[in-house]
Amino acid sequence: MMPEATLEQERDGGYDAFISYSHAGDDLVAARLQNGLQRFAKPWWKRRAIRVFRDESSLAANPHLWSSITDALDASSWLVVLLSPDAAGSEWVNREVEYWLANRPADRIILVLTEGELAWSESGLESDAVPPALTGVFSGEPRWVDLRFARIEEQLDLKNPRFSAAVADVASALRGIPKEELESEEVRQHRRAVRTAWAAGLLIGVLGVVSVVFGVRAASEAERANANAADAEAQRELAVQARIGAEDAAAQAKRNERFALQKAAVAEAGRYLEIAATHPDPAVVVSLTLYAVALAGDEVAEIEPQVVPLLNTALPEYRAVGDFFDLGDGYAAISADGNTVFYVNQHDLHVSAIDTKTRAVKWRELLLRADNSPDPLGLFVVADGNRVAVPIQASGAVRVFVLATDDDGALEGDFVVEKCPEVGLFTFGGIFSADGRYLTMRVGCGEGAASNLLAIYEIASGTELAPRIEGVEAHFSSDSSVVLVLSDEGPAQLFTFPDLELLKSFPGEYSTGALSPTANLVALGASNGDVHIFDREGVPVHRIGVPSEIHSHQSPPISFSPDESLLAVATRRSDFVFDVDSGSQIAAFNNGETWLHSWTADGDELFIDPYTLWSVRDQIRTDPLRISLDDLLDTALSVLERGFLDGDCDEFRIEHCPLTADELRSMVEASRAISSN
């Protein structure tokens, strides 16, 4: 018999071959191939013909799985890859092949096709069963063995001639012995046993002449030894078959566990969709639907027929909180808690506080009688939420009325901003400091230099602070320590307040702008529709292209949400909301010409004067949805990550909620983990 050849001396604990395969399709074939290679042409005195590594038979319970795999690859002389469409899509098979090619030659790879097609052409391997790492690796046609019949054969052992021949093909390459010689190895082993038996017989005959009794006893012991050896071999074969059966049962149990968990998750998701389908509140419908999508995990496609119609029905109603078009001509703004709309009528000069849900009037206060054609210039909620101010132009002067926002709307202040008895006075905007102590107004008589000045007033006393600032619009930080001033002709400027020391100048022609609550960001809008976001040092952060012509010098046509995550921009026809971090558009409202933005304190709702209250958060679009289920799943999981269920069910408008947030996340994570395996 020819000696077995290898690429290098086998190291301690080394393997002749490493079998790489997909558990999804080739669990059984891989186990039977390993058994066949180890038993084919095995000398009687050896435990196995060669050492073969297969992960489920060779690995102990090990938390460092990949390092164990790479150690086995390093210790192997050959890589045997079982090819199939399952293997082509397996991350593990591809990683094992990549690691081998990074450390060992491609000519030490043997391909075994168990399913699919494989062909060689001038362009290389053409197959639906080859993992990406093998593409373009071979310069010539590689050696490969066709084992596709193995998936449908019931008898996969060396007694099956087709399987034995395929095993011989692989073993021949692994052991460096021609297939013909390897197949005849069993015959040579048998002849050697026969010669040994004849020699023993002759020896027994000679000894029988000397001692018949001793010869008979020796023959009996030899027969008993042969019987014991045969019995031991039969027991080893039964043990191998039992182990293979146990591995098959374990794999099936794992598949059953995965199926049961996925079905349970889908069933639980369906229960919440049934509740959503009959619920009258669109907000609850949206919450329950996202909850169900998160529960279904990667099996979300199974509930698609219920999810899409529910969201298409609910979202358009959910987004528009309400409109107040019946108020008539005037100005309006929303309270910080979103419960009250304040409105001044342009004709009868009454200020009203209106409940946003019931439309009931909480209180109504007359400012002036309609003498001398008084004209309100706006209505502004003081930053602290406790007062509302209305500037009115009448009799050649501008007066500012400050009212409490509580139930009675009591008048807290009334002072004159400026008198222009001979020439009509004009003013734009009216921006409060965050603490409600100061009010800035653009004032001036006529169209001279004074028209580009901002006056600052202390509300409590009505006293004007000196000097006036050159500009047309001012925006305060939340702590009133910084103010952004916009000008018709000069650059936008950032000042400390109230001492008005210049912090930063922003050169360029910007017609409108806004300061973030922390004063860390400045948004400046140009007339061409671009909005530039800078940090307070003047470093550009984003340039946002707004798809319409923006306003100029309104109060404010650009505004940050209270948490600075969103930026609202008013245009001639629509209002847009952008994500500050990415600069991407997340909402658009067909609102017409806008005069004022007013956010609720939580940033969830945006009041756009004239008279529409919009829900901003977690919206996709108002027209019928074309839903990508992958994107919807990502949306639902991101909602979970930021605390969608970190509280009572009632708080998040979810009824019949037996799961805690941790239980829900555990179910979703377990479902995704099992699906990925």
Side-chain angles (χ1 to χ4, degrees):
M1 185 183 76
M2 292 183 62
E4 298 180 9
T6 59
L7 180 64
E8 57 186 16
Q9 277 301 105
E10 183 179 285
R11 291 160 286 180
D12 289 341
Y15 300 95
D16 294 276
F18 180 108
I19 297 180
S20 177
Y21 65 102
S22 166
H23 289 264
D26 288 323
D27 265 355
L28 179 61
V29 176
R32 299 300 169 81
L33 178 60
Q34 178 190 21
N35 185 44
L37 290 172
Q38 293 180 156
R39 293 180 53 78
F40 191 81
K42 178 182 73 67
W44 68 270
W45 45 269
K46 292 184 68 175
R47 182 182 177 186
R48 59 174 72 89
I50 58 175
R51 293 195 70 202
V52 179
F53 178 90
R54 182 173 63 87
D55 55 4
E56 288 197 359
S57 68
S58 304
L59 285 181
N62 191 339
H64 307 291
L65 177 59
W66 178 242
S67 62
S68 300
I69 292 293
T70 57
D71 288 345
L73 286 167
D74 290 337
S76 299
S77 298
W78 288 85
L79 176 65
V80 179
V81 184
L82 272 56
L83 302 180
S84 67
D86 292 322
S90 169
E91 176 186 357
W92 282 99
V93 173
N94 198 61
R95 288 181 68 185
E96 291 165 356
V97 174
E98 285 180 338
Y99 185 86
W100 181 273
L101 293 173
N103 297 279
R104 309 294 284 277
D107 60 7
R108 304 296 289 185
I109 297 177
I110 299 174
L111 306 181
V112 177
L113 183 65
T114 65
E115 187 179 23
E117 300 296 331
L118 180 66
W120 176 261
S121 68
E122 294 181 357
S123 59
L125 284 176
E126 296 180 355
S127 175
D128 59 353
V130 174
L134 284 175
T135 303
V137 169
F138 302 104
S139 58
E141 182 173 3
R143 66 187 79 188
W144 67 282
V145 176
D146 191 347
L147 204 58
R148 286 177 287 187
F149 66 87
R151 286 203 177 188
I152 59 175
E153 289 278 354
E154 293 184 1
Q155 182 185 10
L156 282 184
D157 55 31
L158 296 180
K159 297 177 182 179
N160 183 327
R162 294 180 70 189
F163 185 72
S164 179
V167 171
D169 284 335
V170 179
S172 173
L174 297 180
R175 297 168 63 172
I177 302 174
K179 179 181 178 182
E180 295 78 6
E181 294 186 21
L182 197 61
E183 287 178 325
S184 65
E185 181 62 18
E186 292 283 351
V187 176
R188 286 195 290 271
Q189 291 288 347
H190 178 70
R191 288 174 178 173
R192 178 176 298 168
V194 171
R195 287 196 299 270
T196 301
W198 275 105
L202 290 174
L203 178 60
I204 292 171
V206 172
L207 293 175
V209 173
V210 178
S211 176
V212 174
V213 174
F214 181 78
V216 171
R217 184 180 300 169
S220 175
E221 291 296 333
E223 183 178 353
R224 185 179 297 111
N226 289 335
N228 290 339
D231 184 62
E233 182 65 22
Q235 292 298 323
R236 282 196 294 271
E237 181 66 26
L238 288 174
V240 170
Q241 296 300 324
R243 180 177 55 78
I244 293 175
E247 291 173 356
D248 292 346
Q252 184 60 46
K254 184 183 293 184
R255 288 191 289 269
N256 292 342
E257 177 190 1
R258 179 189 309 140
F259 180 79
L261 181 57
Q262 290 173 344
K263 287 300 181 185
V266 170
E268 183 73 358
R271 191 170 71 83
Y272 283 95
L273 291 175
E274 289 178 1
I275 299 171
T278 58
H279 204 285
D281 185 351
V284 177
V285 173
V286 172
S287 295
L288 288 173
T289 304
L290 285 179
Y291 184 74
V293 168
L295 275 176
D298 286 343
E299 303 302 313
V300 66
E302 291 197 23
I303 60 173
E304 177 183 6
Q306 296 103 302
V307 168
V308 175
L310 281 174
L311 290 181
N312 273 320
T313 301
L315 278 177
E317 300 176 31
Y318 179 42
R319 191 170 180 180
V321 176
D323 63 72
F324 297 82
F325 297 130
D326 55 345
L327 293 178
D329 295 335
Y331 299 93
I334 192 74
S335 63
D337 60 10
N339 293 329
T340 308
V341 169
F342 301 103
Y343 163 73
V344 59
N345 186 285
Q346 194 165 353
H347 302 293
D348 64 13
L349 297 183
H350 280 87
V351 176
S352 303
I354 303 167
D355 187 288
T356 54
K357 295 181 177 59
T358 65
R359 305 301 178 92
V361 176
K362 297 181 178 180
W363 52 260
R364 192 164 184 261
E365 184 72 21
L366 176 64
L367 298 179
L368 285 175
R369 297 194 178 277
D371 299 331
N372 302 317
S373 301
D375 184 16
L377 302 173
L379 178 145
F380 311 98
V381 178
V382 181
D384 63 12
N386 295 324
R387 284 166 287 177
V388 62
V390 182
I392 292 179
Q393 179 175 313
S395 302
V398 173
R399 295 176 63 183
V400 177
F401 295 86
V402 181
L403 295 84
T405 59
D406 58 16
D407 292 341
D408 58 11
L411 184 66
E412 292 192 349
D414 172 10
F415 60 90
V416 175
V417 171
E418 184 170 343
K419 294 182 178 180
C420 288
E422 297 179 357
V423 183
L425 176 145
F426 61 89
T427 179
F428 291 97
I431 306 299
F432 289 93
S433 63
D435 56 13
R437 292 180 57 196
Y438 302 101
L439 174 69
T440 63
M441 298 287 292
R442 180 184 179 187
V443 297
C445 297
E447 299 180 358
S451 65
N452 198 39
L453 291 177
L454 283 174
I456 303 175
Y457 295 90
E458 187 175 40
I459 294 176
S461 63
T463 303
E464 180 181 355
L465 304 183
R468 292 186 175 183
I469 310 173
E470 185 171 349
V472 295
E473 192 173 308
H475 301 273
F476 288 88
S477 63
S478 60
D479 62 2
S480 303
S481 64
V482 179
V483 63
L484 173 68
V485 177
L486 304 176
S487 176
D488 268 337
E489 300 174 355
Q493 294 178 304
L494 210 58
F495 294 94
T496 62
F497 188 82
D499 44 5
L500 299 179
E501 292 182 7
L502 180 64
L503 291 175
K504 186 66 183 177
S505 181
F506 299 86
E509 296 183 2
Y510 298 110
S511 59
T512 187
L515 179 65
S516 71
T518 62
N520 288 327
L521 297 174
V522 174
L524 298 172
S527 59
N528 66 354
D530 290 344
V531 175
H532 300 263
I533 301 179
F534 302 91
D535 65 17
R536 66 184 299 162
E537 303 301 326
V539 177
V541 176
H542 285 299
R543 182 184 68 81
I544 298 173
V546 182
S548 183
E549 181 183 0
I550 64 176
H551 279 310
S552 61
H553 300 316
Q554 301 306 322
S555 181
I558 297 179
S559 62
F560 285 95
S561 63
D563 64 0
E564 302 185 7
S565 66
L566 304 176
L567 183 72
V569 180
T571 71
R572 295 290 181 184
R573 296 181 180 178
S574 301
D575 290 75
F576 300 90
V577 177
F578 299 91
D579 180 81
V580 171
D581 286 338
S582 65
S584 59
Q585 178 183 318
I586 65 169
F589 310 111
N590 296 321
N591 196 66
E593 193 167 13
T594 297
W595 299 100
L596 178 70
H597 286 164
S598 180
W599 292 85
T600 54
D602 57 11
D604 286 350
E605 294 175 345
L606 174 65
F607 190 85
I608 299 176
D609 188 357
Y611 315 145
T612 310
L613 180 61
W614 296 93
S615 177
V616 175
R617 302 287 185 179
D618 297 327
Q619 301 306 313
I620 301 174
R621 60 181 68 202
T622 54
D623 52 330
L625 302 175
R626 297 172 179 84
I627 293 176
S628 162
L629 291 178
D630 289 339
D631 291 343
L632 185 61
L633 178 57
D634 290 340
T635 299
L637 293 176
S638 68
V639 170
L640 288 178
E641 288 169 2
R642 66 171 182 264
F644 183 68
L645 294 175
D646 286 341
D648 296 332
C649 293
D650 292 342
E651 180 180 349
F652 294 95
R653 294 182 271 192
I654 295 178
E655 297 179 354
H656 311 290
C657 179
L659 292 176
T660 66
D662 290 339
E663 289 171 335
L664 173 63
R665 287 193 182 89
S666 296
M667 178 177 286
V668 173
E669 290 167 3
S671 177
R672 289 175 68 85
I674 286 182
S675 297
S676 65
N677 291 331

